[in-house]
């Protein structure tokens, strides 16, 4: 063990360790770039040949990772990508960043992790460190990955090392990135933790060590469950405030003046993205396996998943005040990505809102500066986004702000809209002005 471990630690210290990142998406690409930027020979492994080719041409397809940086690193021969998984054998440190979706039954789907791990298992050799970064239930690294690698003749801590480190990257966040977000790292053994901590310490500002991989896995699920539950709480408050005729946003702003014991969360049209709607299910599934019902998670999901319906009710109510039915009304959706400044449509509540409005007979169009086309699964329809103009806005019977991208001039939008449903408080600066009457806020 001492030799393998010391040899890996030496390679990390001298930046001669060769890095492999499996899965070059929102998580994997920024990560492999960070290793390359820190001087490591870094190779990304992708099943999508288009992505691997883009990297090798020096192009980024993730908004937070600049093409200029990718071009420089590829030219410097620090960064490349491949679809040839036999090259895993040459890597000293391999990090798995593949998707972890849910099955239709809302059970965890770890098939991508298994597929990636089978490739790693096939070429596993002494002196390799494997780290799982995909969000998953506590026990995956110990109970699923370790047995696979132990099936080879290689011994944990003698030949190979194994750890889990949750990814906390927040796409679209210009303050926090891979380098300055503290990294939580837990190995399946202390020796594995040592090597994994050393690897991340070479590229991030701060590393937090946990006593096991399970703690690191559970930590990620706590973080995202915390958000899902708190968003559920304010979404329920928003519906309650609507009934009581109180402005939710003003209530939250007032509460946020308390310098301790309160952290503001904001309501919205529903939760989206690959993490917050999915990750809590990984925890509740594991809980169920042990006869434990995670009630907060179920309740938060119930409240959050009803928000698109609530938005449609606000649209119906607003149109009703204008003596118009939803059926036949022109409705313009502003922003469809699941959050501002990104192009990610995964689990976006905009899709549910559009489908519900279409079902009621509305003529729905959308504008999103980041998303040129969307696909509606219910009727397998592709819709192109439209350009904005004074006419487009004023011709709509109702405009619904679903995602508050910064590029939009909300003063202009409000001026031309007949009726505006604001689910993000994007028009806060305008409240109190003459336009307030035509805005309905969540
Ligand atoms: N997106 C986020 O904001 C975020 C934040 C924190 C954690 N996570 C977690 O990180 C993981 C990855 O998420 P993501 O958003 O980067 O997903 P993604 O879909 O953007 O990227 C995953 C990539 O993996 C590739 N892939 C799939 N199977 C593969 C395989 N067997 N071998 C090689 N490549 C393969 C896909 O082609 C894709 O490019 C998930 O577990 C997610 O929950 C995501």
């Amino acid at each position: 063990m001492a030799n393998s471990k010391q040899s890996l630690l030496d390679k990390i210290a001298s930046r001669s360790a060769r890095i492999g990142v499996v899965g070059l998406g929102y998580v994997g690409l920024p990560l492999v770039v960070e290793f390359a930027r820190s001087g490591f020979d870094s190779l990304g492994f992708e099943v999508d040949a288009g992505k691997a080719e883009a990297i090798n041409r020096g192009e980024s397809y993730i908004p937070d990772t600049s093409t200029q940086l990718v071009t420089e690193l590829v030219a410097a021969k620090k960064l490349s990508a491949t679809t040839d998984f036999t090259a895993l054998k040459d890597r000293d440190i391999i990090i798995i960043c593949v998707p972890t979706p849910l099955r239709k039954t809302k059970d965890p789907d770890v098939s991508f992790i298994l597929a990636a791990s089978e490739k790693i298992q096939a070429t596993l050799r002494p002196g390799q460190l494997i780290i799982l970064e995909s969000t998953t239930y506590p026990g995956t690294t110990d109970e699923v990955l370790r047995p696979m690698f132990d099936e080879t003749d290689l011994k944990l801590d003698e030949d190979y090392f194994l750890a889990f480190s949750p990814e906390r990257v927040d796409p679209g966040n210009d303050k926090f990135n891979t380098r300055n977000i503290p990294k939580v790292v837990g190995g399946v053994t202390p020796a594995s933790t040592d090597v994994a901590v050393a690897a991340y310490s070479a590229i991030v500002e701060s590393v937090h060590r946990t006593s096991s991989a399970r703690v690191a896995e559970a930590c990620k699920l706590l973080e995202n469950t915390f958000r899902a539950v708190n968003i559920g709480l304010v979404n329920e408050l928003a519906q309650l405030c609507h009934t009581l005729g109180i402005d939710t946003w003003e209530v939250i702003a007032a509460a946020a003046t308390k310098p301790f014991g309160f952290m503001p969360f904001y309501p919205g049209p529903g939760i989206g993205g690959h993490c917050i709607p999915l990750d809590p299910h990984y925890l509740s599934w594991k809980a169920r396996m042990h006869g434990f019902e995670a009630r907060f998670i179920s309740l938060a999901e119930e409240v959050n998943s009803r928000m698109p319906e609530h938005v449609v009710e606000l649209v119906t109510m607003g149109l009703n005040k204008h003596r118009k039915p939803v059926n036949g009304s022109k409705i313009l959706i502003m922003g469809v990505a699941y959050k501002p400044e990104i192009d990610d449509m995964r689990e976006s509540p905009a899709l549910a809102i559009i489908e519900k409005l279409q079902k009621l007979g509305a003529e729905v169009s959308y504008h999103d500066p980041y998303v040129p086309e969307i696909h509606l699964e219910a009727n397998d329809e592709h819709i192109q986004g439209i350009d904005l103009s004074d006419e487009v806005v004023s011709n709509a019977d109702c405009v619904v702000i679903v995602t508050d991208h910064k590029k939009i001039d909300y003063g202009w939008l409000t001026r031309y809209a007949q009726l505006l449903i604001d689910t993000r408080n994007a028009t806060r600066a305008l409240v109190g002005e003459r336009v307030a009457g035509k805005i309905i806020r969540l």
Side-chain angles (χ1 to χ4, degrees):
M1 159 181 150
N3 279 349
S4 284
K5 183 178 164 188
Q6 196 49 52
S7 146
L8 257 176
L9 291 173
D10 291 346
K11 283 182 181 177
I12 293 166
S14 64
R15 302 283 195 274
S16 62
R18 285 157 302 177
I19 310 296
V21 172
V22 183
L24 298 179
Y26 287 92
V27 164
L29 183 59
L31 184 70
V32 77
V33 162
E34 210 51 60
F35 273 105
R37 208 153 77 95
S38 303
F40 291 92
D41 169 342
S42 307
L43 176 61
F45 294 82
E46 249 301 331
V47 286
D48 181 339
K51 285 186 179 171
E53 284 159 16
I55 297 304
N56 291 332
R57 282 196 306 270
E59 289 167 17
S60 167
Y61 42 82
I62 299 284
D64 288 344
T65 300
S66 84
T67 281
Q68 193 193 334
L69 182 56
V70 172
T71 306
E72 283 168 17
L73 294 170
V74 170
K77 301 211 179 309
K78 286 291 170 203
L79 175 67
S80 58
T82 183
T83 53
D84 174 11
F85 286 76
T86 57
L88 282 166
K89 195 174 183 62
D90 303 327
R91 301 289 111 187
D92 300 303
I93 300 172
I94 300 169
I95 307 178
I96 305 170
C97 302
V98 296
T100 41
L102 292 175
R103 300 191 185 282
K104 283 216 163 68
T105 53
K106 303 226 162 150
D107 287 350
D109 176 359
V110 293
S111 60
F112 294 88
I113 295 182
L114 293 178
S117 303
E118 277 166 16
K119 301 281 188 198
I120 296 167
Q121 182 195 37
T123 57
L124 195 70
R125 59 153 173 86
Q128 285 187 316
L129 162 66
I130 318 299
I131 305 172
L132 178 61
E133 280 216 11
S134 302
T135 305
T136 184
Y137 57 82
T140 310
T141 314
D142 268 333
E143 296 161 9
V144 181
L145 267 60
R146 183 177 174 178
M148 284 177 77
F149 300 145
D150 282 347
E151 266 177 26
T152 66
D153 288 338
L154 301 178
K155 297 260 171 302
L156 180 69
D157 284 356
E158 283 178 30
D159 302 311
Y160 79 93
F161 301 88
L162 180 61
F164 181 84
S165 178
E167 181 51 64
R168 293 162 143 179
V169 73
D170 182 20
N173 191 326
D174 48 21
K175 191 169 166 207
F176 293 108
N177 49 48
T178 305
R179 188 171 279 270
N180 65 5
I181 299 173
K183 201 88 178 91
V184 169
V185 180
V188 294
T189 58
S192 285
T193 312
D194 291 344
V195 194
V197 165
Y200 285 115
S201 299
I203 63 153
V204 303
E205 290 171 9
S206 149
V207 174
H208 178 87
R209 182 187 176 111
T210 61
S211 64
S212 66
R214 280 166 203 275
V215 170
E217 288 161 337
C219 151
K220 173 70 187 176
L221 297 184
L222 167 63
E223 290 168 18
N224 282 356
T225 301
F226 174 82
R227 291 197 58 204
V229 167
N230 280 287
I231 294 168
L233 176 65
V234 287
N235 276 339
E236 186 170 76
L237 181 83
Q239 293 176 62
L240 171 66
C241 283
H242 177 70
T243 308
L244 299 180
I246 300 171
D247 184 329
T248 321
W249 302 90
E250 205 185 337
V251 174
I252 297 169
T257 59
K258 189 178 177 187
F260 51 89
F262 183 83
M263 181 190 281
F265 280 81
Y266 299 98
I271 50 176
H274 184 39
C275 296
I276 310 297
L278 278 66
D279 297 354
H281 289 282
Y282 272 73
L283 192 53
S284 53
W285 176 84
K286 188 69 178 176
R288 270 201 311 281
M289 294 297 109
H290 291 262
F292 189 96
E293 197 53 46
R295 287 177 296 160
F296 273 110
I297 293 177
S298 311
L299 185 58
E301 199 217 348
E302 193 185 313
V303 175
N304 291 332
S305 62
R306 216 197 82 77
M307 290 313 285
E309 191 69 49
H310 181 60
V311 173
V312 171
E313 283 163 13
L314 295 181
V315 172
T316 310
M317 199 187 78
L319 285 170
N320 193 44
K321 277 192 188 154
H322 289 221
R323 297 176 183 277
K324 291 177 184 174
V326 178
N327 197 346
S329 282
K330 292 192 186 70
I331 297 179
L332 171 63
I333 303 291
M334 290 297 302
V336 290
Y338 83 86
K339 68 174 185 174
E341 319 323 323
I342 60 165
D343 61 355
D344 196 343
M345 285 300 298
R346 289 179 293 180
E347 312 293 325
S348 173
L351 297 171
I353 293 169
I354 293 171
E355 284 178 353
K356 283 177 196 298
L357 288 169
Q358 281 186 336
K359 246 189 186 162
L360 293 173
E363 279 179 41
V364 187
S365 58
Y366 86 89
H367 172 80
D368 190 307
Y370 297 91
V371 185
E373 183 183 284
I374 58 172
H375 175 236
L376 300 178
E377 254 178 39
N379 48 4
D380 194 20
E381 187 189 354
H382 291 267
I383 308 182
Q384 312 284 328
I386 57 170
D387 292 334
L388 288 182
S389 68
D390 299 353
E391 290 72 36
V392 162
V393 177
S394 57
N395 282 342
D397 298 293
C398 179
V399 176
V400 188
I401 300 171
V402 174
T403 309
D404 51 340
H405 293 301
K406 285 188 198 138
K407 287 182 183 170
I408 305 299
D409 178 347
Y410 292 101
W412 166 82
L413 188 73
T414 308
R415 204 155 50 248
Y416 285 95
Q418 298 179 40
L419 166 68
L420 191 59
I421 310 296
D422 181 0
T423 70
R424 299 286 188 176
N425 205 17
T427 57
R428 57 194 162 273
L430 307 166
V431 171
E433 291 182 23
R434 271 184 310 122
V435 292
K438 65 174 152 184
I439 301 174
I440 296 178
R441 295 196 298 161
L442 192 72

